[in-house]
């Protein structure tokens, strides 16, 4: 299949091109598009055949449910069996935005989309291009991240092309995304609201709006397999670069010394080594490949560059990666959740 790439300026959307993209979705084809979090691989959410195509293109197990993207609040009622008061409150406050809510599904949503589950994940993205695509398609759009299963999520259109060129009908190139890590997932079908995947919207932010405690799925905190995460997708080894990766955490000067020491050893063995540093520390390393992920003064910049940097390591055929640790104040948990997975939970404390 020939994958057509169209460039769209979100401040001046080309109506004709976007309609072409919308028509492809309506015809049951797949279109990758930008959201504010990461690029999504979209298909008609209520068409089981489109869901099957998505799983096939990504090489994703079909028991891993998809998020349904909507463009208007009524669509929540349209596909949910019942809409809990908590969902209304959160939608009012955070939609459109990087929050996915899990509610009971109704009969309109096929099991192919929910991986056989009775619940459905719903999100209204805060991206002009994504919202326009949903409207123009006249459909609801099921969209996982637009990467091959197991690779870092795409934050630029060329990342999508690397993974899916030839496998999907179209890529809408809207430039780099704003946030860079996937949406927060909150499950509203339990007694207490439960975070199944940490993201830009923190438990504290949800708790403030709901006026009740928001718990975190114990399965995503455990470093081992003793507890199973509730979101099927969180159990897979995700976001993995090809190289082995180790995180070093502790006091900054000690971290730098340790990483330099480990990197020297590996380099002596003839291995290609990369260090993931920050704007503040990048000049303190001496390996060939030093990648700055962003500034500690701006934690959003760290989230935004995370996946891009992991992909760069793959592109350069790096064999070992040593990374600083980023327990930043607000979204540090969301960043570390991705990095720990990429590192297979290999952490050295100094
Ligand atoms: O930011 C995002 O959420 C991006 C953009 C494209 O919107 N999408 C995304 O989709 O990250 P995906 O498929 O890569 O991740 C969806 C996650 C998976 O871990 C999946 O298991 C979980 O959501 N999920 C979906 N439906 C669920 C459900 N009914 N119950 C529990 N987990 C669910
Ligand atoms: Mg994904």
């Amino acid at each position: 299949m020939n994958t057509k790439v169209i460039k769209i300026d979100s401040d001046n959307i080309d109506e004709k091109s976007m309609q072409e993209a919308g028509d492809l979705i309506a015809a049951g084809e797949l279109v990758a598009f930008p959201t504010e979090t990461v690029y999504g691989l979209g298909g008609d959410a209520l068409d089981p055949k489109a869901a099957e195509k998505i799983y096939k293109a990504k090489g994703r197990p079909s028991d891993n449910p998809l998020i349904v993207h909507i463009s208007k609040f009524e669509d929540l009622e349209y596909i949910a069996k019942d809409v809990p008061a908590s969902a209304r409150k959160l939608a009012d406050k955070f939609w459109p935005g990087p929050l996915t809510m899990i509610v009971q599904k109704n009969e309109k949503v096929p099991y192919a989309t929910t991986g056989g589950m009775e619940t459905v994940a719903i999100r209204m993205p805060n991206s002009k291009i994504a919202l326009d695509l949903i409207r123009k398609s006249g459909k609801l759009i099921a969209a996982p991240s637009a990467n091959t299963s197991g690779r870092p999520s795409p934050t630029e259109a060329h990342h999508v092309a690397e993974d899916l060129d030839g496998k999907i009908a179209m890529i809408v190139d809207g430039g780099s995304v704003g946030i860079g890590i996937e949406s927060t997932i909150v499950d509203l079908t339990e007694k207490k609201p439960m975070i199944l995947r940490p993201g830009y919207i923190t438990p504290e932010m949800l708790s403030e709006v709901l006026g009740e405690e928001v718990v975190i799925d114990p399965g995503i905190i455990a470093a081992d397999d003793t507890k199973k995460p509730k979101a099927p997708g969180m159990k897979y080894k995700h976001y993995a670069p090809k190289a082995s990766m180790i995180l070093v955490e502790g006091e900054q000067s000690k971290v730098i010394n340790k990483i330099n020491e480990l990197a020297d050893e590996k380099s002596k063995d003839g291995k290609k080594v990369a260090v993931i540093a920050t704007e503040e520390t990048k000049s303190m390393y001496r390996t060939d490949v030093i990648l700055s992920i962003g500034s500690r003064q701006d934690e959003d910049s760290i989230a935004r560059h995370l996946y891009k940097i992991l992909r760069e390591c793959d592109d350069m055929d790096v064999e070992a990666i040593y990374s600083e640790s980023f327990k930043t104040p607000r979204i540090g948990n969301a960043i570390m959740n991705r990095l720990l997975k990429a590192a297979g939970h290999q952490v050295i404390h100094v």
Side-chain angles (χ1 to χ4, degrees):
M1 180 185 294
N2 179 35
T3 303
K4 185 169 178 179
V5 181
I6 58 169
K7 264 203 156 57
I8 297 284
D9 174 358
S10 65
D11 292 325
N12 184 16
I13 291 180
D14 181 78
E15 299 291 328
K16 207 173 145 243
S17 302
M18 279 304 283
Q19 190 58 57
E20 191 187 338
D23 290 346
L24 283 168
I25 298 269
E29 297 297 332
L30 305 187
V31 175
F33 62 98
T35 79
E36 79 278 36
T37 57
V38 299
Y39 271 76
L41 174 58
D44 180 350
L46 304 186
D47 173 5
K49 288 208 191 74
E52 277 158 31
K53 280 189 189 172
I54 291 176
Y55 291 119
K56 185 153 177 260
K58 273 182 69 85
R60 172 176 178 147
S62 60
D63 67 344
N64 188 1
L66 307 172
I67 297 175
V68 178
H69 294 67
I70 63 173
S71 63
K72 46 187 200 295
F73 289 93
E74 303 88 270
D75 291 337
L76 175 59
E77 326 271 344
Y78 184 66
I79 57 171
K81 192 167 180 185
D82 45 31
V83 179
S86 53
R88 279 179 220 283
K89 283 189 201 162
L90 294 178
D92 269 350
K93 176 75 181 180
F94 297 110
W95 278 0
L99 179 69
T100 296
M101 296 195 269
I102 311 273
V103 295
Q104 299 294 336
K105 77 171 196 72
N106 66 21
E107 70 295 338
K108 294 193 193 77
V109 187
Y111 288 114
T113 298
T114 67
M117 296 177 88
E118 292 298 338
T119 55
V120 60
I122 311 178
R123 167 163 122 81
M124 188 191 290
N126 185 17
S127 147
K128 283 187 198 161
I129 296 178
L131 290 170
D132 197 53
L133 177 67
I134 302 168
R135 287 190 202 109
K136 286 207 163 62
S137 71
K139 303 283 182 188
L140 308 185
I141 298 187
S145 48
N147 51 291
T148 298
S149 201
R151 292 215 72 204
S153 293
T155 54
E156 298 177 11
H158 75 92
H159 297 157
V160 180
E162 276 166 31
D163 287 9
L164 299 176
D165 187 38
K167 297 182 174 169
I168 61 177
M170 183 182 268
I171 298 171
V172 179
D173 178 353
S176 300
V177 301
I179 293 180
I181 52 176
E182 304 87 345
S183 60
T184 304
I185 301 180
V186 64
D187 184 353
L188 301 173
T189 66
E190 298 271 352
K191 270 206 199 82
K192 287 182 181 169
M194 186 189 268
I195 304 258
L196 304 189
R197 180 174 71 185
Y200 192 78
I201 297 190
T202 62
E204 293 75 23
M205 289 159 81
L206 298 176
S207 195
E208 202 185 311
V209 172
L210 295 175
E212 65 175 313
E213 190 196 0
V214 172
V215 296
I216 301 182
D217 178 3
I220 59 174
I221 304 169
D224 45 37
D225 296 334
T226 49
K227 288 201 186 76
K228 218 167 103 200
K230 200 176 169 205
M234 297 295 280
K235 71 175 183 269
Y236 297 107
K237 184 172 181 253
H238 249 200
Y239 321 123
K242 290 175 201 149
S244 82
M245 180 169 170
I246 292 177
L247 305 180
V248 183
E249 66 178 19
E251 196 192 300
Q252 193 175 85
S253 60
K254 288 186 184 159
V255 168
I256 293 167
N257 286 340
K258 186 70 186 176
I259 289 181
N260 273 325
E261 182 192 312
L262 291 167
D264 284 350
E265 270 172 36
K266 271 277 181 248
S267 302
K268 268 197 219 121
D269 290 346
K271 294 268 192 305
K272 187 165 181 184
V273 181
V275 169
I276 300 181
T278 55
E279 284 305 296
E280 290 81 12
T281 57
K282 64 182 182 190
S283 63
M284 295 166 192
Y285 295 101
R286 49 179 184 251
T287 38
D288 292 340
V289 181
I290 300 162
L291 301 163
S292 170
I293 195 169
S295 165
R296 285 192 190 268
Q297 306 305 313
D298 172 12
E299 56 178 329
D300 290 359
S301 69
I302 295 177
R304 195 156 58 234
H305 300 131
L306 177 73
Y307 288 136
K308 178 191 170 78
I309 283 206
L310 294 180
R311 278 184 182 259
E312 277 170 16
C313 289
D314 281 353
D315 293 345
M316 289 184 290
D317 289 319
V318 162
E319 295 169 276
I321 305 169
Y322 298 101
S323 175
E324 294 179 12
S325 170
F326 306 99
K327 287 193 174 137
T328 59
R330 213 183 59 83
I331 53 170
N333 279 335
I335 294 170
M336 288 307 290
N337 169 264
R338 275 70 175 181
L339 265 183
L340 282 164
K341 278 192 182 182
H345 290 269
Q346 296 191 84
V347 184
I348 296 175
H349 303 266
V350 287

